Amino acid sequence: MSSTDELCSLRWDPVSKGVEVIDQTLLPHALRWCRLESLPAFCHAISTMQVRGAPLIGITAAFGLANALAEDASNENLARASAALMATRPTAVNLRWALDQITCAVKSLEPSQRPLVALHRALSLREEDIVNCERIGANGLQLLSALNKDQLNIMTHCNAGWLATVQWGTALAPIYKAHASGIPVHVWVSETRPRNQGTNLTAWELHRAGVPCTIVTDNSCGQLMRQRKVDCVIVGSDRTAANGDVCNKVGTYLKALAARASDIPFYVALPESTIDWSCPSGEQIPIEERDESEVLSIGGLDAAGDYGEVKLAASHSTAFNPAFDVTPADLVAALITEHGNFDASVKGLQQLGAIASDT
């Protein structure tokens, strides 16, 4: 894994003083950077999933709020811009966390001082995310090494790599670390319908890094586990409740159930910023419902190499499209964080909180 901006999802240009992100809706067919220059552009990038993944959503929102304050640093615009960004995606708690970070940094300052302070805080959040994700990778590597396998067959769901953070990723960070350390790794990449983040993003990332991987249909994952072709499952988290319940891309819960039935460890990798300490359990986590068109149609390249949308269902069909589900804490073998590996429980999270408060 490179430490350069070649393998990052959001970059800051100090010369033009602008933010650029990879338009992830175009992957894997095209790699295109998109410049964000206004509050509506930042909101659009998050809501349409040009950027996605809980940590990256938060970092993007931080820069979006800093951008808004550069135009108007009044209290009214601070509240207005923060509310607009907060409304883009309801589930990922990093969004609220990052906006609170910027707000707390500037709210006591004179308006003239706010733009620069907000920008510096956004830049520091970006750097902290890189460091934290690398630490997640190192801590996760300890768990992978303890499995004592000649070759590790790891299953993932959705995308929790550097496209979902700034660099390294969460669930993919231990895989990148294992690959770099010489451990033979193979990754089962579940397609992750309906937006196919596994097929479009995770497989693309792993190919670029030289990590062997195989795309599989979501419905085949339980059978692969039953056949003992999977050594462990690692996923990310968009919000983790204070009792250890984990909210992640829809389909995660089914993989956790299959892993438990097959006696396979199910790990969740996340930064502390993804923990909602005010949320007592997964029952209180809001589940985003996205447009039914994502289920009823699919996009891709045709034989001529042209991109297009194809309808999958009969006319007048309807669909229900929840973007996330909740996996109960008792199905999670460990939470992999930048502070270490912890039990997915009230006690485990209290231990994490105590360590985090001392750092």
Side-chain angles (χ1 to χ4, degrees), residues 82 140 199 254 327:
S82 183
T199 299
L254 289 175
T327 297

Side-chain angles (χ1 to χ4, degrees), residues 161-300:
W162 60 265
L163 287 170
T165 61
V166 178
Q167 289 179 355
W168 289 100
T170 54
L172 293 193
I175 294 172
Y176 289 136
K177 288 287 189 179
H179 179 70
S181 68
I183 298 174
V185 177
H186 168 262
V187 183
W188 295 110
V189 179
S190 62
E191 58 185 344
T192 324
R193 283 279 294 147
R195 291 189 64 96
N196 295 313
Q197 293 99 325
T199 299
N200 295 341
L201 306 178
T202 297
W204 181 84
E205 269 198 46
L206 294 171
H207 283 308
R208 284 176 62 96
V211 179
C213 65
T214 305
I215 298 170
V216 294
T217 62
D218 293 336
N219 289 340
S220 70
C221 294
Q223 176 71 353
L224 287 169
M225 286 188 249
R226 191 187 71 81
Q227 293 176 325
R228 314 307 301 174
K229 294 182 178 181
V230 179
D231 297 310
C232 70
V233 181
I234 309 179
V235 301
S237 172
D238 286 82
R239 186 183 302 214
T240 300
N243 70 339
D245 289 349
V246 173
C247 184
N248 193 52
K249 184 58 57 181
V250 68
T252 300
Y253 178 40
L254 289 175
K255 288 179 175 58
L257 288 171
R260 171 59 59 85
S262 301
D263 196 26
I264 293 169
F266 182 91
Y267 301 122
V268 180
L270 66 149
E272 182 201 351
S273 59
T274 306
I275 300 171
D276 187 348
W277 298 100
S278 67
C279 183
S281 76
E283 295 296 323
Q284 288 76 43
I285 297 176
I287 303 298
E288 177 185 3
E289 295 179 17
R290 295 187 62 81
D291 194 271
E292 66 177 7
S293 63
E294 294 180 348
V295 176
L296 301 176
S297 64
I298 194 168

Side-chain angles (χ1 to χ4, degrees), residues 292-293 295-297 310-319:
E292 66 177 7
S293 63
V295 176
L296 301 176
S297 64
V310 178
K311 291 184 177 179
L312 296 174
S315 298
H316 309 300
S317 296
T318 61

Side-chain angles (χ1 to χ4, degrees), residues 55 129-142 165 168-175 177 234 268-272 274 335-341:
D129 184 73
I130 295 171
V131 172
N132 289 340
C133 285
E134 184 168 8
R135 289 174 177 167
I136 289 171
N139 292 329
L141 178 59
Q142 296 176 9
T165 61
W168 289 100
T170 54
L172 293 193
I175 294 172
K177 288 287 189 179
I234 309 179
V268 180
L270 66 149
E272 182 201 351
T274 306
L335 299 174
I336 306 170
T337 79
E338 70 269 37
H339 301 294
N341 303 321

Side-chain angles (χ1 to χ4, degrees), residues 111-125:
S112 62
Q113 299 174 303
R114 288 175 173 175
L116 186 59
V117 171
L119 175 60
H120 284 168
R121 186 63 186 127
L123 288 168
S124 67
L125 290 176

